[in-house]
Amino acid sequence: MKLQGKIAVVTGGSRGIGFATCKKLASEGATVIITDICDSETAAPAIKELEEMGATAKFYQSNVADFAAATETVNAIVEEFGGIDILVNNAGITRDKLMLKMEESDFDSVISVNLKGTYNMIKATYKQFMKRRYGRIISLASVVGITGNAGQTNYSASKAGIIGLTKSVAKELGARNVTVNAVAPGYIATDMTDVLSDKAKAAIEAGIPMKRRGTPEDVANTICFLASDDASYITGEVIKIDGGLAM
């Protein structure tokens, strides 16, 4: 139980990679707090499953793109649980279009949730991490934040921004025993990728050396490692979880 007694916050944690991460953290003993834009009824099955695992779990409805809401949520969590040990910035959206057809709103909404949302949550937790002289911040980037991808200029820019944000905050908080890292998933089997046609899925898998999609659990396992003391001397890193796609 490597995370026994730790308080973990996972944004967008009610489904997909976020929920897989919640389950993995809970399995290692962490108290898990899910924040998501959905309502409590939608998040209820996730909370129930975590509780059935024997974990302490709670849901807060919050929009990470709203600075005031993010700050209010963090303050409420700190007041109730005494502090936050682990922050997983998982919340994200896509609005994929070629640049020619991409509206300003498509670009702004993705940057607002993915990049600004990550900033908002780090900003809201920053002082308490400094005071506690301990913390683990793990943010979800993407291989397309490293390589770029046609039709995803907004998403790629947001994820590249998260990489820069991660490295900068790691340099700021390192002396306070706070590690700040990012993971960069590749083609993972989630709701986001399930909308692709079978032909598109097959084409992507053909370009992956391991010849398969990753699972949310593949990503969750790496996040859990970075959240543990096994990774206490790793900071400012971006770990690709992509089956070799972006080698």
Side-chain angles (χ1 to χ4, degrees):
M1 304 290 278
K2 295 179 180 180
L3 302 178
Q4 189 70 44
K6 303 299 185 185
I7 308 299
V9 175
V10 182
T11 68
S14 65
R15 62 192 181 96
I17 291 172
F19 185 51
T21 298
C22 290
K23 290 191 288 184
K24 183 62 178 179
L25 297 177
S27 75
E28 291 291 349
T31 292
V32 177
I33 295 135
I34 294 175
T35 76
D36 213 321
I37 198 168
C38 66
D39 59 27
S40 58
E41 184 177 350
T42 302
I47 296 297
K48 181 180 179 182
E49 187 169 340
L50 292 170
E51 290 176 340
E52 288 174 348
M53 291 174 60
T56 299
K58 186 164 183 179
F59 172 73
Y60 286 81
Q61 184 177 24
S62 185
N63 179 7
V64 295
D66 183 328
F67 180 78
T71 302
E72 182 180 349
T73 299
V74 166
N75 290 343
I77 294 168
V78 170
E79 182 176 353
E80 179 170 357
F81 293 92
I84 296 168
D85 300 296
I86 300 159
L87 170 64
V88 181
N89 292 304
N90 166 77
I93 63 170
T94 58
R95 296 289 185 271
D96 295 350
K97 292 178 184 176
L98 293 173
M99 176 66 89
L100 183 65
K101 296 184 178 180
M102 185 175 290
E103 301 292 338
E104 182 181 10
S105 59
D106 296 321
F107 189 88
D108 288 348
S109 60
V110 170
I111 295 295
S112 180
V113 174
N114 299 4
L115 179 55
K116 182 62 165 30
T118 299
Y119 161 82
N120 288 345
M121 290 299 293
I122 293 176
K123 175 68 173 177
T125 54
Y126 194 99
K127 285 185 179 179
Q128 69 96 42
F129 279 129
M130 289 185 68
K131 290 178 181 178
R132 291 163 68 84
R133 300 189 72 86
Y134 178 88
R136 302 285 184 263
I137 301 173
I138 305 105
S139 300
L140 273 288
S142 170
V143 292
V144 303
I146 300 168
T147 65
N149 194 38
Q152 289 192 306
T153 53
N154 48 5
Y155 189 74
S156 298
S158 72
K159 296 303 185 177
I162 287 172
I163 291 171
L165 178 63
T166 293
K167 291 179 178 291
S168 298
V169 177
K171 290 184 175 182
E172 293 183 11
L173 288 177
R176 296 281 179 161
N177 194 34
V178 179
T179 65
V180 188
N181 294 289
V183 295
Y187 182 36
I188 307 297
T190 65
D191 290 345
M192 280 188 181
T193 58
D194 283 344
V195 300
L196 298 172
S197 68
D198 289 341
K199 183 178 179 180
K201 291 176 184 177
I204 295 171
E205 289 174 5
I208 300 172
M210 294 191 72
K211 303 302 180 186
R212 67 171 179 87
R213 289 187 291 175
T215 67
E217 289 72 26
D218 290 325
V219 183
N221 290 339
T222 304
I223 292 172
C224 188
F225 165 68
L226 291 172
S228 75
D229 286 341
D230 288 342
S232 62
Y233 201 54
I234 299 173
T235 196
E237 287 300 319
V238 182
I239 300 178
K240 291 182 288 184
I241 309 166
D242 65 351
L245 177 64
M247 274 195 288

